[in-house]
Amino acid sequence: MTHSPKPVLAVGKYAALLAYLSFALFPLYWLLKIAVTPDQLIYTEGTNLWPSEFTFDNFRSVVFQTDFLSYFGNSLYVSLGTAAVTTLVAAGAGYAFSRFNFAGKRLLIAVMLITQMFPLLMIIAPIYKIIAGLGMLNSLTSLIVVYTAFNVPFATFLMQSFFDGIPKDLEEAAMMDGCSRFQALYKVIFPLTLPGLGATLGFVFTAAWSELLFALMLISKNEAMTFPVGLLTFVSKFSVDWGQMMAAGVLALVPSCLFFIFIQRYLVQGLTSGAVKG
Amino acid sequence: MARIELKDVKKRYGSVEVLRDVNLDIEDGEFIVLVGPSGCGKSTLLRMIAGLEPITGGDFLIDGKRMNDVRPRDRDIAMVFQSYALYPHMDVARNMGFSMEIRKDPAAERASRVKKAAETLGLTALTERLPKALSGGQRQRVAMGRAIIRDPRAFLFDEPLSNLDAALRVEMRLEIARLHQKLGATMIYVTHDQVEALTLADRIVVLNGGDIQQVGSPLELYERPANKFVAQFIGSPTMNIVPVTGGDGEVKTADGSVIKLPHLPDCGAAVELGIRPEHIDVVDPSEGDLIGVADVVEHLGSDTNIFTVVEGLGPLMVRKHGNIPAKSGDRLGLRIQPENAHIFGPDGRALRRVLEKVG
């Protein structure tokens, strides 16, 4: 950029960014604020931006006095399982859609699109019947299966677009260089798809991490509850334990954040630049 | 090194016939250029030889062995892609040595071959760079390095220079010619640029609409084009083609001017006269076969291009070496060099050339 920056424009740009950021992040901030507010101040200082006293008691009691760790572990298992299985299936399907022509390809794509059109509420009952019939209620595996089924279509389209972005010439060059198709995929295409795999993993992980509806329907036993369902146990008949609930919420953010920090370097675009003349 | 034969090779996509009965013998060490307008099937033919595109019918042989169903990796042919197709996550040295890596050749041998190829192509200082840190010309060199390192039976080039700017294109063209001289390998080169075709080829294959129009040395194609398509495709500026009426030792234009072509074969009435711009002489208006009015005159220094309009015949371009003091609006006498005139029949095929009648 060589044009001279206009101070007014620059200030305006940052003001707009700031406004957007505060709007987007304010709920998160409020979550954190209530989590560190002592119980007795939650209502008395309800609208203060920062409590006059500060405590980690909520975190302590959530971790040591509730089943939070068990919920957390269940969620981690389900989310990682879903992300791994979905990405594996989606990568294979996306590659096939991107590179091969086969009978029924268009039909398959159409069917996958249609599955994305139904509101979840419509199919909750049949899914429940199916899972109950299989005797898989209250099992974390059933959640992985259901989440995978729901995420595969979108993840496939996502992966397909990443594969589409990798020039076909690269595979052909690899095959001319002596690779089999699988070797070309593994040695040349796979390293270039890491951003796509990262994005898909991240997307599916967060989707599974925060899913409530199916978990609520399919899980009723305390020891198999995932985190979002577990959060509801903080709501009792007569009161809501806001402080603990928010503390649990803050802790629940941690794996999501860690996961994204871990994959963000694969999300960097431009990995294929230099392959072919732009 | 290899001898490549194509026998009645066909390519069909569904009901669309892309290539019809292509027959071609390529000698060991020959430089063949496939040339034609876009969509003529030249790249498809190259990809079929590479093994990247299945062959619908016919036989494709390398050194007498049928290779139709052999996988690309087992054909031992190297290809330079139009897009270069460098592996973006590998540095230059690994890009060039990739084929040896796949074949599990010893690392020491790979390193020395890479070093040698890098020296040949002037890439020694760049071997640790990633492709994205290279200029277009350097990427092109790496792509060639990747091909030569394998010492393959044949080289295929798919419009390798079309992404380079004009100056670099000339330079790389020379480099490819040098490479061919040095390696003496069989090379098949696809281009739509006739200058590349004429300068590089031992033999040129002109394709149009899925058919081979003519196969011959650059000079053969220039001097004895088999049909109107080849005549107009090869040579720059394009050959003038004008409708005339055939006769005995002469042709007549629509307004009655007579062009003496003493050795003209006896041809039908409705024919076309083909004459290259450089084969028309500018003479005094009283002496020429035709009189043309200069419309636009381009002075290129080494040559002069005169776009004339001839009454009853239409536009006729004349190209003369040196500087001709003509200007727009001048009346010029134009004399057709009879020995360089071509006559095309109604089907576009060249009738026996005038010159051949002399002997």
Side-chain angles (χ1 to χ4, degrees):
Chain A
M1 295 290 178
T2 50
H3 64 265
S4 60
K6 290 200 178 117
V8 182
L9 270 180
V11 169
K13 203 160 69 187
Y14 284 110
L17 271 176
L18 204 65
Y20 169 73
L21 270 181
S22 18
F23 184 73
L25 295 181
F26 187 75
L28 283 182
Y29 168 73
W30 210 246
L31 181 79
L32 188 70
K33 184 221 132 181
I34 294 181
V36 297
T37 306
D39 272 348
Q40 64 276 17
L41 295 181
I42 280 187
Y43 295 105
T44 51
E45 291 187 359
T47 54
N48 287 14
L49 272 184
W50 194 246
S52 54
E53 267 180 74
F54 179 87
T55 178
F56 280 118
D57 281 350
N58 288 325
F59 288 95
R60 211 170 292 132
S61 50
V62 160
V63 174
F64 295 114
Q65 286 161 22
T66 68
D67 290 330
F68 174 80
L69 284 180
S70 145
Y71 304 152
F72 198 85
N74 289 341
S75 262
L76 211 57
Y77 173 73
V78 169
S79 304
L80 284 177
T82 307
V85 177
T86 305
T87 305
L88 206 65
V89 174
Y95 182 76
F97 282 146
S98 169
R99 290 296 194 260
F100 303 125
N101 270 314
F102 46 88
K105 176 175 163 180
R106 294 173 66 94
L107 184 75
L108 208 56
I109 290 178
V111 169
M112 284 174 64
L113 267 177
I114 288 170
T115 63
Q116 298 292 288
M117 293 175 189
F118 290 102
L120 285 185
L121 281 171
M122 268 177 65
I123 35 179
I124 274 208
I127 295 262
Y128 183 85
K129 285 294 272 181
I130 293 170
I131 299 289
L134 290 170
M136 284 172 75
L137 287 178
N138 283 317
S139 93
L140 296 175
T141 317
S142 71
L143 283 186
I144 294 184
V145 171
V146 171
Y147 292 170
T148 301
F150 272 92
N151 281 305
V152 156
F154 181 79
T156 299
F157 293 133
L158 200 63
M159 283 311 297
Q160 185 195 344
S161 73
F162 278 104
F163 282 119
D164 283 345
I166 297 173
K168 230 177 165 174
D169 280 3
L170 286 183
E171 269 163 300
E172 293 181 342
M175 288 197 270
M176 295 301 294
D177 268 349
C179 290
S180 62
R181 184 171 271 280
F182 185 74
Q183 272 178 316
L185 179 65
Y186 161 71
K187 293 229 176 214
V188 175
I189 304 303
F190 175 71
L192 301 175
T193 328
L194 287 179
L197 289 171
T200 310
L201 275 174
F203 169 80
V204 178
F205 180 87
T206 14
W209 186 257
S210 55
E211 208 284 331
L212 172 65
L213 206 52
F214 281 100
L216 201 57
M217 293 300 298
L218 301 178
I219 306 287
S220 54
K221 276 196 200 141
N222 200 42
E223 64 265 27
M225 275 185 189
T226 58
F227 177 76
V229 185
L231 262 192
L232 290 177
T233 62
F234 292 97
V235 183
S236 69
K237 214 168 190 176
F238 306 108
S239 71
V240 176
D241 195 338
W242 288 112
Q244 287 195 10
M245 201 185 210
M246 296 298 168
V250 171
L251 291 175
L253 280 176
V254 172
S256 283
C257 291
L258 284 181
F259 198 80
F260 270 94
I261 290 170
F262 168 67
I263 62 168
Q264 59 90 19
R265 66 198 185 98
Y266 299 112
L267 292 174
V268 182
Q269 291 299 308
L271 211 62
T272 51
S273 68
V276 298
K277 176 88 179 181
Chain B
M1 303 302 103
R3 182 186 143 91
I4 294 172
E5 291 161 85
L6 301 167
K7 289 182 180 162
D8 292 329
V9 166
K10 297 182 219 346
K11 178 69 189 176
R12 209 175 294 127
Y13 291 110
S15 60
V16 184
E17 220 170 17
V18 186
L19 286 166
R20 267 179 299 272
D21 299 333
V22 172
N23 284 291
L24 192 59
D25 272 3
I26 300 171
E27 294 299 324
D28 185 11
E30 203 175 11
F31 199 124
I32 288 284
V33 175
L34 306 177
V35 70
S38 44
C40 69
K42 57 190 190 297
S43 279
T44 308
L45 185 59
L46 194 77
R47 291 170 54 84
M48 285 158 72
I49 293 171
L52 298 172
E53 204 74 64
I55 298 170
T56 316
D59 296 311
F60 162 58
L61 299 97
I62 300 180
D63 288 335
K65 256 192 237 145
R66 190 169 189 273
M67 302 296 265
N68 285 40
D69 304 313
V70 176
R71 288 184 299 179
R73 57 182 292 195
D74 299 323
R75 293 191 185 190
D76 195 15
I77 290 176
M79 179 158 169
V80 177
F81 290 77
Q82 180 176 13
S83 64
Y84 317 145
L86 303 180
Y87 312 124
H89 55 302
M90 301 181 192
D91 64 17
V92 166
R94 193 158 168 232
N95 255 292
M96 293 206 289
F98 187 67
S99 57
M100 298 182 75
E101 184 184 324
I102 292 294
R103 277 188 308 195
K104 301 202 168 65
D105 287 335
E109 194 197 334
R110 195 196 325 161
S112 84
R113 293 266 283 276
V114 167
K115 189 159 167 272
K116 214 174 126 215
E119 274 164 19
T120 312
L121 294 163
L123 292 168
T124 310
L126 306 172
T127 47
E128 282 167 21
R129 292 221 198 148
L130 288 176
K132 67 178 166 202
L134 301 176
S135 70
Q138 289 164 343
R139 287 179 198 174
Q140 173 64 56
R141 271 172 227 264
V142 176
M144 300 220 312
R146 199 165 63 178
I148 61 174
I149 204 149
R150 296 171 41 186
D151 193 18
R153 292 206 280 190
F155 289 87
L156 309 180
F157 296 89
D158 189 4
E159 308 209 21
L161 307 184
S162 58
N163 283 333
L164 300 176
D165 63 48
L168 211 48
R169 207 177 300 166
V170 174
E171 195 189 315
M172 292 308 293
R173 203 173 71 204
L174 283 173
E175 210 138 320
I176 292 175
R178 253 181 236 128
L179 202 65
H180 180 240
Q181 273 175 12
K182 197 170 148 217
L183 302 174
T186 311
M187 292 186 175
I188 307 177
Y189 187 106
V190 161
T191 181
H192 60 258
D193 182 318
Q194 54 150 317
V195 180
E196 278 173 30
L198 292 167
T199 50
L200 287 170
D202 292 324
R203 279 192 302 158
I204 297 176
V205 178
V206 183
L207 284 155
N208 187 36
D211 291 309
I212 290 187
Q213 302 289 321
Q214 191 173 3
V215 181
S217 72
L219 264 188
E220 271 167 25
L221 297 195
Y222 177 83
E223 289 176 349
R224 290 192 294 279
N227 56 38
K228 218 164 91 182
F229 177 81
V230 177
Q232 289 198 294
F233 195 81
I234 300 290
S236 172
T238 320
M239 180 187 282
N240 296 296
I241 305 242
V242 290
V244 290
T245 314
D248 190 18
E250 59 187 33
V251 291
K252 279 204 193 80
T253 67
D255 75 336
S257 305
V258 174
I259 302 170
K260 293 271 178 212
L261 300 172
H263 313 300
L264 179 72
D266 200 7
C267 53
V271 293
E272 284 176 301
L273 169 71
I275 184 80
R276 295 194 185 277
E278 53 270 40
H279 295 149
I280 302 176
D281 293 328
V282 178
V283 293
D284 192 85
S286 58
E287 292 172 19
D289 300 314
L290 303 161
I291 291 179
V293 179
D295 181 16
V296 175
V297 182
E298 295 175 339
H299 296 282
L300 304 178
S302 62
D303 298 284
T304 309
N305 292 339
I306 310 169
F307 296 84
T308 67
V309 177
V310 177
E311 199 158 327
L313 204 64
L316 208 59
M317 184 185 172
V318 182
R319 183 187 185 102
K320 283 285 95 178
H321 197 63
N323 206 359
I324 305 284
K327 57 183 186 305
S328 180
D330 283 358
R331 278 167 59 85
L332 306 168
L334 304 176
R335 198 182 71 83
I336 308 289
Q337 297 175 3
E339 67 277 17
N340 288 318
H342 307 261
I343 295 291
F344 301 103
D347 58 355
R349 227 174 295 163
L351 302 176
R352 277 175 302 163
R353 272 202 63 246
V354 175
L355 187 64
E356 287 156 4
K357 205 88 200 273
V358 179

